[in-house]
Amino acid sequence: MKTHPHISQRKVKPNRQFFSLAKKEFFHIFRDRRTLIILLGMPIVQIIIFGFALTNEVKNSRIGVFNQAQDAHAQALINELEASRYFEVTRIFTSYSAIEEEFKKGTIKLALVLPPHFAADLKHFNKTQVQLIADASDPNVANTLINYATAVILDFQDRLTNNNTLPYTIRTETRMLYNPQLQGAYSFVPGVMAMVLMLVCTMMTAITIVREKELGTMEILLVSPVQPLKVIIAKAIPYLLLSMLNITSILLLSVFVLQVPINGSLLLLLAASTLFIITSLSLGLLISTITASQQTAMFISLTGLFLPTVMLSGFMFPIENMPLPLQVVSNLVPAKWFYIIVRTVMIKGAGLAVIWKEALVLTSMTLLLLGLSMKNFKIRLA
C-alpha cells in the first residue's frame, strides 16, 4: 500500500523542524564565545581549583619546639615531626614565655614542649609527658594538627616500646575505608560535579529561553508548526549534550589529575549524571517561565541555587549537624541526592541496589519540575 506523498511530508516535516531548532541552538552556542567558555571552561576551572586549593588537609604547618631535654630521644621525636609532610619546624624556643609571642605573631600554628628529663623518665618510669599547644582561633585546623602530632608521637612510642611489654595496654587499630590517605579530593569531586551541573544547566537553560522572550523571537517559534513542548526540548538538547561533555572532562580530570578512582560502574555513574542534568534543565525551564528578563533569571539561578547547593547538599557541611528544619529543607535540594549518588557509586563502588532511592527522588523531582514548567508555559501562552 502506497503512502500519499503529502501525508508522508506532514509526518516528516515536524521532526525536521525539531532538529533544525536544536541545530540552530547549537550554532547559537558556538557563535557566542562567552556562553561557550562558561559551559565548557567553568567546570574544568572549578574542578582544578576545588581539587587542589580547597582541601581539608593541613600540610607543611609551621611549628615551634621548646626542647628542655636536649637528649637523643627528644631529638628523635623532633626529627619524626620534621620528617612528616604535615609539619615544618621553624622555631626553636629557649623559654616557655616566648611561645605565646610567636602565636600572637602568627608565625606558628603548633608548639611542642618537651620536659627536662624526657629520656630519663621513659627509661626509669616507662612514661613521660609532652605538651602540645595549638592556636584554637581556628578550631578545625587546631584539632587537625593536634591529631596529626598525636599520631606521630604514638608511632614514635610504638617504636620505642617494641621490645617491652606494658601491662594493660589497649591498642586501637584504625582503618579508613574508601579513602585511606584521607585526600580531600575524594570529598570535593562529587560535590563539584553536583554544583557545576546544577548551576550551568539551570542558569544556561533559563537564560537562553528568557533571552528569546526578550528579543520577541519566542512568539515566532511558538506560532511555527512545531509544538511548544518540542520547541523547549529542542532548546534544552544542546545543553544536555554539552553537559555530558562536562561530565566526561570532570571524570577524566578526577581520575588522571586528582587521582580519584571510579570504584563503581561508570555506566551507572553516567546514567545518574544524565538524570541529574535533566533535573537541572527542568529547573531552568521552570525559572524561565516565571522570569521576564535575563538578569532576573541569572540572579535566581545563581543566588537561589548556589547557596543551597553549597550549604545544604552535604558537600561542605554535614547535614546531620544542622537543626531539624534545615535538614528537612535540604531534602528539596536536588544536588543533595546527586552528591550522595556520586559519592556512593564513584568512591564506595556501590551499585543501583544502594542508590535507587536517591535516583527515585531525582526522577520524581524531574517529573514535578517538568509538569510545573509546562503548566506555566501553557498559562503564559493562553
Side-chain angles (χ1 to χ4, degrees):
M1 180 179 177
K2 291 185 179 180
T3 306
H4 194 280
H6 296 293
I7 295 176
S8 174
Q9 190 177 7
R10 286 172 188 170
K11 287 181 179 178
V12 174
K13 194 174 179 181
N15 289 332
R16 283 183 180 174
Q17 290 171 333
F18 172 76
F19 288 116
S20 296
L21 283 173
K23 188 177 176 182
K24 177 194 82 70
E25 196 63 29
F26 266 117
F27 285 148
H28 177 75
I29 293 172
F30 288 120
R31 276 200 306 267
D32 188 351
R33 292 186 178 179
R34 288 178 299 180
T35 303
L36 197 61
I37 290 172
I38 292 174
L39 272 173
L40 301 179
M42 191 170 75
I44 295 174
V45 171
Q46 285 194 338
I47 194 73
I48 291 175
I49 291 176
F50 276 81
F52 286 106
L54 293 184
T55 172
N56 50 16
E57 294 180 75
V58 183
K59 299 176 183 175
N60 301 319
S61 296
R62 292 168 295 178
I63 67 171
V65 176
F66 181 28
N67 184 4
Q68 304 175 79
Q70 300 295 339
D71 54 42
H73 282 343
Q75 189 57 48
L77 177 57
I78 295 171
N79 292 341
E80 289 276 342
L81 289 168
E82 181 82 59
S84 76
R85 60 175 177 163
Y86 304 112
F87 301 112
E88 181 183 353
V89 179
T90 58
R91 294 285 187 280
I92 301 296
F93 299 111
T94 56
S95 67
Y96 193 86
S97 59
I99 296 175
E100 190 171 350
E101 289 299 321
E102 295 297 324
F103 273 117
K104 286 181 180 176
K105 293 177 185 175
T107 54
I108 60 171
K109 292 185 177 179
L110 186 78
L112 170 68
V113 180
L114 295 166
H117 307 291
F118 183 73
D121 289 346
L122 281 174
K123 183 176 180 181
H124 298 296
F125 305 109
N126 290 329
K127 64 179 182 180
T128 189
Q129 188 171 7
V130 300
Q131 185 179 26
L132 292 171
I133 306 172
D135 180 4
S137 59
D138 188 339
N140 292 330
V141 172
N143 275 326
T144 303
L145 291 179
I146 289 289
N147 290 334
Y148 288 164
T150 303
V152 173
I153 293 171
L154 287 176
D155 285 342
F156 176 76
Q157 175 188 308
D158 287 343
R159 277 194 291 278
L160 283 180
T161 59
N162 190 31
N163 298 323
N164 298 325
T165 303
L166 300 178
Y168 306 113
T169 300
I170 299 176
R171 300 181 64 85
T172 302
E173 181 181 348
T174 305
R175 184 184 172 201
M176 295 294 180
L177 293 174
Y178 313 119
N179 182 14
Q181 296 179 340
L182 299 180
Q183 295 181 16
Y186 280 63
S187 170
F188 285 115
V189 166
V192 171
M193 285 177 65
M195 187 176 69
V196 167
L197 291 178
M198 188 78 195
L199 293 180
V200 170
C201 297
T202 305
M203 184 174 65
M204 298 311 299
T205 309
I207 289 176
T208 189
I209 294 177
V210 173
R211 181 173 52 206
E212 297 276 9
K213 291 196 291 187
E214 278 187 330
L215 296 174
T217 51
M218 179 58 77
E219 283 74 11
I220 298 174
L221 292 174
L222 294 178
V223 296
S224 66
V226 184
Q227 296 175 356
L229 176 62
K230 290 186 177 180
V231 172
I232 300 301
I233 293 175
K235 297 189 75 63
I237 279 180
Y239 296 100
L240 172 65
L241 298 179
L242 291 173
S243 297
M244 292 304 297
L245 188 62
N246 284 333
I247 284 289
T248 306
S249 62
I250 288 175
L251 292 179
L252 288 174
L253 284 171
S254 302
V255 173
F256 295 107
V257 178
L258 301 176
Q259 306 298 318
V260 179
I262 301 174
N263 293 320
S265 166
L266 177 60
L267 188 62
L268 179 61
L269 185 61
L270 291 176
S273 301
T274 305
L275 174 60
F276 181 65
I277 290 170
I278 296 173
T279 308
S280 303
L281 293 175
S282 305
L283 185 55
L285 291 176
L286 180 61
I287 292 174
S288 72
T289 61
I290 59 176
T291 53
S293 67
Q294 294 183 62
Q295 287 79 7
T296 307
M298 183 178 289
F299 179 78
I300 293 176
S301 302
L302 282 178
T303 59
L305 294 178
F306 180 74
L307 284 179
T309 300
V310 172
M311 305 288 289
L312 301 177
S313 66
F315 162 39
M316 298 289 285
F317 308 103
I319 294 176
E320 296 79 7
N321 295 345
M322 298 177 186
L324 183 59
L326 282 181
Q327 291 187 32
V328 174
V329 172
S330 72
N331 293 322
L332 302 176
V333 179
K336 170 191 172 181
W337 306 102
F338 182 62
Y339 174 70
I340 295 173
I341 290 176
V342 175
R343 197 179 56 181
T344 306
V345 176
M346 187 172 178
I347 307 300
K348 297 182 179 180
L352 183 61
V354 180
I355 64 160
W356 69 270
K357 291 181 182 176
E358 288 78 11
L360 185 62
V361 171
L362 280 181
T363 306
S364 303
M365 284 184 173
T366 304
L367 295 174
L368 178 63
L369 291 169
L370 276 176
L372 290 174
S373 302
M374 295 314 301
K375 183 180 177 183
N376 287 343
F377 204 67
K378 288 177 181 175
I379 290 174
R380 292 181 65 87
L381 284 176

